[in-house]
């Protein structure tokens, strides 16, 4: 009897073991499969995405430093390894998952306006947690890889350094082991300067104007002289350039009169096609900000000691070195410090003439105080052909419109910059009067982010204005030159290009 | 005698065997059915998650290319996506490579061009074209003629991409579904329940 019971117990045990084995095999298979899925979805996919977040964070860090070159020059690239035009960031570790990023920024191009363009190459690394296994290649069939073509995981060594070198140019290849599995992604961004004159009128505060019969249109001086008939003739090949007389107002307080052959943007306004004559887009939700203007760095400029003031008739001729007049360049202009500009001063800047041929001549004046300080003031500025004049002034500006004489044929050749007062209680002003009913105008651009800008009368204006509050009560004819959208000193930067090095 | 008698008594009777066979049959039948069901469930689950991973892969491929793209165009049936991307890496046969063959495989320094719509950053004189398309049960990525199968499944993966153009940018909205093995009477929800959405914006200013 005992032996029979033993045999029966053994049979049950074998059955139980077999059952456990089968269930365990199924369980193990399920577990292995789930773990693989989890490993891919939770670890590898996540790390792949996070490494891009890290790289883009590095790009943002580099972009912030690039912006400082305009907005806060003394602190640009502070704490970075700076060597000439190349800046290398410290390595930053951040986030709960210990993401790592670093960026190299280099100045690689100066545009015709003399503004630098920066290229930033950022790398972001995210650790790959979980099992050090490749992903879903088995799903793709023999000889066809899936995930590993997309998500390049460094399990043992950094494949990019080993194959392409640290700069990706094939130089300096090295087999560098990684501490833990990781994914690294690399992006390249180009920071392009934002120039001040991208619209005909840009007002950070309130806006009133122009007259009821006024209009703002545009043209492109590089495509031919201004023609008042183009804006109403869609068959004209230059028509496309005539509809960019854009007005941007960072306020809901705007009284818009006249015709705008371009777009109109406000910040919270209620302008509609029924309340204003606007040929382009009306968008009442376009906020923007203007930063106070500081005197830019003069490090690369060619300082010329005289003259030091504009009194009476003052003529500035280019400095002569070795018997040759020096015209300067956009990035290294001739630079003069003017301690005062008398109310009725008459300034003329002449081009360099070499062997009887006038040359493009670049001049910058830094004026301390006002250029005209009362309605009786009539300072005059003369800019002949071949002269590119920029005037920075710290006070107010007051004159008659016809006293701004720019005969160079391009409004961008006379640029006036109002340095923002350091005392915020001081209100800077720029007043232009036609005077005596004259509708003679001027050709120039103003960048005055802290100044109230007033135009009385109905001058004919070619150019652009950036100001705080804007007021004009006359039937002004305003022509924005589209060539201006790349003119002037950079006031900020924007990302103009984005590529990823997917190797 | 007793021993013989005892051995004979230990044998199974016909009813016992019949009953044992019936019980065994039920047990093994249940085991077989359960195993088959488990296997089917496992297979369906495996297929579901495996295909889901492929959905993610398609989305990630598309997002990567859209982000660095200059132009995105979708076909009328929303199942073919064409993306124009910069030529960041110098390839054999490029003008730079003809002048200096050692530049092959190196990043290209961009050039700036002033156009009627403003400044433009260019990597070389030409661009690359990436096309996402469906071929049978496979999702293909074709870059300048080179075909890569990025997903392959018998689960009828169907990506659909919509290209939305804005003033200066555009974005691509992608949804991907597949037909799971287990369905509820062929209900539409069986497919729509597997949908994965993705939206990717161009990082560059739109050129087309």
């Amino acid at each position: 009897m005992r032996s029979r019971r033993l045999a029966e117990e053994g049979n049950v045990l074998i059955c139980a073991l077999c059952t456990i084995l089968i269930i365990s095999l199924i369980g193990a298979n399920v577990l292995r499969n789930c773990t693989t899925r989890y490993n891919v979805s939770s670890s590898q996919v996540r790390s792949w995405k996070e490494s891009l977040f890290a790289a883009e964070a590095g790009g943002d860090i580099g972009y912030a430093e690039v912006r400082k070159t305009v907005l806060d020059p003394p602190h640009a690239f502070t704490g970075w390894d700076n060597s000439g035009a190349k800046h290398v960031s410290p390595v930053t570790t951040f986030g709960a998952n210990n993401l790592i990023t670093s960026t190299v920024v280099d100045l690689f191009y100066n545009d015709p306006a003399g503004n630098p363009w920066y290229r930033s190459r950022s790398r972001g690394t995210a650790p790959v947690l979980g099992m050090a296994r490749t992903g879903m290649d088995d799903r793709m069939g023999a000889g066809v890889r899936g995930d590993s073509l997309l998500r390049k995981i460094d399990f043992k060594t950094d494949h990019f350094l080993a194959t392409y070198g640290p700069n990706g140019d094939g130089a300096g290849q090295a087999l560098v082991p990684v501490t833990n599995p990781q994914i690294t992604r690399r992006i390249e961004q180009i920071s392009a300067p934002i120039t001040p004159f991208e619209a005909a009128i840009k007002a950070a505060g309130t806006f009133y104007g122009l007259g009821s019969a006024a209009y703002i249109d545009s043209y492109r001086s590089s495509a031919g002289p201004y023609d008042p008939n183009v804006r109403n003739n869609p068959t004209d090949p230059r028509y496309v350039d005539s509809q960019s007389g854009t007005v941007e107002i960072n306020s809901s307080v705007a009284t818009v009169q006249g015709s705008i052959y371009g777009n109109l943007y406000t910040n919270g306004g209620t302008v509609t096609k029924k309340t204003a004559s606007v040929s382009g887009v009306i968008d009442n939700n376009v906020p923007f900000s203007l930063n106070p203007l500081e005197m830019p760095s003069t490090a690369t400029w060619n300082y010329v000691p005289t003259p030091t003031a504009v009194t009476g008739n003052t003529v500035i001729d280019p400095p002569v070195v070795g018997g040759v007049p020096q015209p300067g360049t956009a990035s290294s202009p001739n630079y003069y410090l003017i301690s005062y500009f008398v109310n009725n001063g008459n300034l003329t800047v002449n081009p360099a003439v070499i062997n009887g041929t006038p040359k493009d001549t670049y001049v910058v004046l830094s004026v301390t105080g006002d250029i005209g300080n009362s309605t009786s003031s009539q300072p005059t500025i003369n800019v002949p052909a071949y002269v590119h004049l920029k005037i920075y002034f710290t006070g107010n500006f007051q004159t008659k419109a016809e006293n701004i004489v720019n005969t160079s044929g391009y409004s961008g050749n006379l640029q006036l910059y109002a340095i923002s007062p350091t005392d915020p209680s001081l209100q800077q002003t720029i007043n232009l009067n036609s005077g005596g009913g004259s509708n003679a105008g001027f050709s120039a651009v103003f960048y005055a982010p802290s100044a109230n800008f007033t135009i009385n009368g109905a001058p004919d204006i070619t150019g652009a204005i950036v100001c705080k509050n804007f007021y004009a009560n006359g039937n002004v004819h305003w022509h924005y030159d589209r060539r201006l959208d790349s003119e002037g000193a950079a006031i900020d930067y924007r990302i103009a290009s984005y590529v990823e090095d997917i190797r | 005698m007793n021993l013989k008698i005892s051995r004979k008594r230990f044998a199974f009777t016909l009813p016992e065997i019949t009953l044992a066979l019936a019980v065994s049959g039920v047990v093994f039948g249940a085991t077989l059915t359960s195993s088959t069901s488990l296997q089917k469930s496992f297979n369906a689950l495996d297929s579901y998650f495996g295909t889901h991973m492929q959905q993610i892969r398609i989305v990630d491929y598309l997002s990567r290319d859209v982000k660095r793209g200059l132009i995105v165009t979708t076909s009328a049936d929303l199942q073919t996506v064409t993306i124009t991307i910069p030529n960041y890496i110098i390839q054999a046969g490029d003008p730079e490579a003809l002048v200096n063959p050692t530049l092959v495989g190196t990043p290209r320094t961009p050039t700036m061009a002033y156009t009627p719509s403003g400044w433009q950053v260019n990597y070389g004189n030409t661009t690359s074209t990436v096309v996402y398309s469906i071929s049978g049960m496979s999702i293909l990525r074709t870059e300048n003629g080179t075909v890569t199968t990025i997903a392959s499944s018998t689960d009828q993966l169907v990506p659909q991409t919509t290209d939305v153009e804005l003033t200066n940018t555009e974005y691509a909205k992608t949804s991907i579904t597949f037909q799971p093995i287990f369905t509820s009477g062929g209900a539409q929800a069986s497919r729509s329940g597997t949908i994965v959405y993705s939206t990717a914006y161009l990082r560059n200013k739109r050129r087309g």
Side-chain angles (χ1 to χ4, degrees):
Chain A
M1 288 297 289
R2 183 181 298 170
S3 60
R4 188 172 68 241
R5 282 200 300 274
L6 280 174
E8 286 172 355
E9 286 174 0
N11 193 25
V12 169
L13 181 62
I14 289 170
C15 287
L17 285 173
C18 287
T19 305
I20 290 170
L21 180 65
I22 291 167
I23 292 173
S24 298
L25 283 174
I26 292 171
N29 213 3
V30 170
L31 189 64
R32 187 183 71 85
N33 206 281
C34 291
T35 307
T36 304
R37 304 283 185 266
Y38 174 78
N39 202 40
V40 173
S41 63
S42 182
S43 298
Q44 297 178 2
V45 172
R46 187 201 61 185
S47 298
W48 189 74
K49 291 179 185 296
E50 285 187 340
S51 59
L52 182 65
F53 300 160
E56 292 187 344
D60 287 348
I61 292 170
Y63 175 56
E65 295 301 319
V66 168
R67 294 187 70 205
K68 285 182 187 173
T69 62
V70 172
L71 305 176
D72 187 15
H75 298 105
F77 298 109
T78 302
W80 288 43
D81 183 5
N82 303 311
S83 174
K86 185 176 180 181
H87 313 277
V88 181
S89 79
V91 175
T92 303
T93 303
F94 65 101
N97 292 328
N98 293 322
L99 307 183
I100 300 167
T101 186
S102 60
T103 302
V104 178
V105 177
D106 66 309
L107 191 166
F108 74 104
Y109 175 69
N110 284 293
D111 64 24
N115 293 317
W117 291 53
Y118 294 91
R119 169 177 54 194
S120 66
R121 288 176 169 168
S122 306
R123 48 174 288 172
T125 300
V128 178
L129 305 176
M131 294 181 295
R133 290 182 182 172
T134 54
M136 304 297 298
D137 291 352
D138 57 315
R139 299 288 302 185
M140 301 299 298
V144 182
R145 292 184 298 168
D147 271 22
S148 57
L149 277 180
L150 179 67
R151 294 181 254 275
K152 299 181 175 66
I153 305 172
D154 297 328
F155 287 108
K156 298 292 184 185
T157 58
D158 189 322
H159 82 281
F160 192 90
L161 295 178
T163 313
Y164 309 110
N167 297 321
D169 55 4
Q173 298 162 329
L175 208 59
V176 179
V178 295
T179 311
N180 296 302
Q182 64 181 37
I183 296 177
T184 300
R185 294 176 73 175
R186 291 166 172 80
I187 61 168
E188 178 172 311
Q189 293 174 310
I190 304 298
S191 297
I194 296 175
T195 48
F197 311 113
E198 296 184 332
I201 303 171
K202 197 168 181 176
T206 60
F207 180 92
Y208 182 94
L210 308 165
S212 58
Y215 66 82
I216 306 173
D217 63 358
S218 63
Y219 74 115
R220 190 183 293 278
S221 60
S222 55
Y226 173 74
D227 181 346
N229 300 314
V230 173
R231 68 176 184 274
N232 292 317
N233 182 11
T235 62
D236 192 298
R238 291 178 295 165
Y239 177 81
V240 66
D241 286 325
S242 69
Q243 308 295 310
S244 295
T246 295
V247 175
E248 298 182 23
I249 307 162
N250 185 43
S251 165
S252 60
V253 184
T255 302
V256 181
Q257 300 181 110
S259 298
I260 296 174
Y261 293 86
N263 301 333
L264 175 64
Y265 302 136
T266 73
N267 182 11
T270 56
V271 184
T272 67
K273 289 273 186 180
K274 291 182 179 177
T275 62
S277 174
V278 179
S279 71
V281 173
I282 297 175
D283 192 335
N284 290 304
N285 188 27
V286 184
F288 66 88
S289 61
L290 295 178
N291 294 300
L293 179 64
E294 297 180 12
M295 186 66 192
S297 169
T298 62
T300 62
W301 297 359
N302 175 37
Y303 173 66
V304 183
T306 57
T308 57
V310 175
T311 56
N313 292 326
T314 301
V315 177
I316 294 181
D317 291 312
V320 178
V321 177
V324 179
Q326 301 299 302
T329 64
S331 57
S332 181
N334 295 324
Y335 166 51
Y336 302 82
L337 281 172
I338 305 297
S339 57
Y340 60 94
F341 197 126
V342 297
N343 280 341
N344 294 317
N346 183 3
L347 171 69
T348 300
V349 179
N350 287 328
V353 179
I354 300 174
N355 298 325
T357 303
K359 301 291 183 185
D360 282 318
T361 302
Y362 298 86
V363 179
V364 173
L365 268 62
S366 176
V367 178
T368 303
D370 300 334
I371 300 178
N373 61 7
S374 70
T375 54
S376 61
S377 303
Q378 295 188 33
T380 303
I381 300 171
N382 296 284
V383 177
Y386 297 100
V387 171
H388 307 262
L389 175 62
K390 290 180 182 177
I391 299 178
Y392 291 86
F393 57 97
T394 59
N396 301 322
F397 189 100
Q398 164 79 51
T399 191
K400 289 183 177 180
E402 60 263 36
N403 287 352
I404 300 173
V405 184
N406 176 5
T407 56
S408 69
Y410 176 43
S411 56
N413 284 344
L414 176 54
Q415 300 177 19
L416 296 116
Y417 292 87
I419 303 295
S420 299
T422 52
D423 180 354
S425 66
L426 291 177
Q427 181 54 63
Q428 198 173 32
T429 60
I430 297 175
N431 291 298
L432 300 176
N433 299 299
S434 289
S438 169
N439 62 359
F442 65 86
S443 175
V445 294
F446 285 83
Y447 187 78
S450 303
N452 289 343
F453 204 105
T454 302
I455 299 175
N456 293 308
D460 192 276
I461 298 172
T462 302
I465 286 173
V466 179
C467 62
K468 183 180 175 185
N469 298 319
F470 180 90
Y471 178 89
N473 61 6
N475 292 324
V476 178
H477 296 172
W478 194 305
H479 320 299
Y480 172 71
D481 187 349
R482 293 198 69 192
R483 190 178 159 196
L484 289 170
D485 63 9
S486 64
E487 191 62 66
I491 56 169
D492 205 341
Y493 277 86
R494 65 163 64 96
I495 302 297
S497 171
Y498 173 102
V499 292
E500 181 180 353
D501 189 346
I502 64 169
R503 294 178 297 173
Chain B
M1 284 301 289
N2 284 338
L3 284 172
K4 284 183 180 175
I5 292 167
S6 298
R7 281 189 190 117
K8 284 181 181 175
R9 283 179 181 169
F10 288 149
F12 292 108
T13 63
L14 184 62
E16 284 176 330
I17 291 175
T18 306
L19 184 64
L21 281 174
V23 171
S24 300
V26 169
V27 170
F28 281 115
T31 305
L32 193 63
T33 308
S34 301
S35 299
T36 306
S37 297
L38 273 174
Q39 185 61 33
K40 279 185 177 177
S41 293
F42 172 71
N43 185 47
L45 201 67
D46 180 57
S47 171
Y48 191 98
F49 285 114
T51 313
H52 179 60
M53 294 310 304
Q54 301 207 62
Q55 285 179 301
I56 295 173
R57 187 190 306 138
I58 296 167
V59 161
D60 285 348
Y61 259 112
L62 259 171
S63 297
R64 186 191 67 176
D65 287 332
V66 168
K67 281 175 184 172
R68 62 188 178 131
L70 303 171
I71 304 169
V72 178
T73 310
T74 51
S75 63
D77 65 0
L78 308 181
Q79 295 193 348
T80 301
V81 185
T82 305
I83 306 170
T84 303
I85 58 174
N87 272 332
Y88 181 57
I89 302 296
I90 297 173
Q91 306 289 339
D94 287 350
E96 300 96 324
L98 295 177
V99 175
N100 182 2
T102 62
L103 292 176
V104 173
T106 63
R108 180 175 269 121
T109 297
T111 56
M112 265 54 67
Y114 186 71
T115 69
S117 60
W119 284 98
Q120 202 170 75
V121 179
N122 296 315
Y123 286 87
N125 297 324
T126 59
T127 53
S128 289
T129 303
V130 175
V131 180
Y132 287 89
S133 58
I134 301 175
S135 175
M137 295 296 180
S138 298
I139 312 297
L140 306 181
R141 177 183 184 274
T142 308
E143 182 173 354
N144 294 334
T146 304
V147 181
T148 306
T149 303
I150 62 168
S152 181
S153 169
T154 57
D155 302 318
Q156 302 172 47
L157 271 166
V158 179
Q160 291 193 320
T161 301
T162 309
D163 169 34
V164 181
E165 294 186 350
L166 303 176
T167 305
N168 287 321
T169 184
E170 63 185 310
Y171 61 89
K173 291 177 68 174
T174 303
S175 63
I176 304 172
T177 60
F178 65 89
Q179 186 68 43
I181 291 175
F182 284 172
T183 61
S184 178
Q188 182 61 29
S190 304
R191 172 176 281 277
S192 60
T194 65
I195 197 163
V196 168
Y197 291 102
S198 167
T199 301
Y201 276 80
L202 262 70
R203 298 287 202 261
N204 294 299
K205 186 178 179 181
R206 179 168 65 82
R207 294 190 186 179

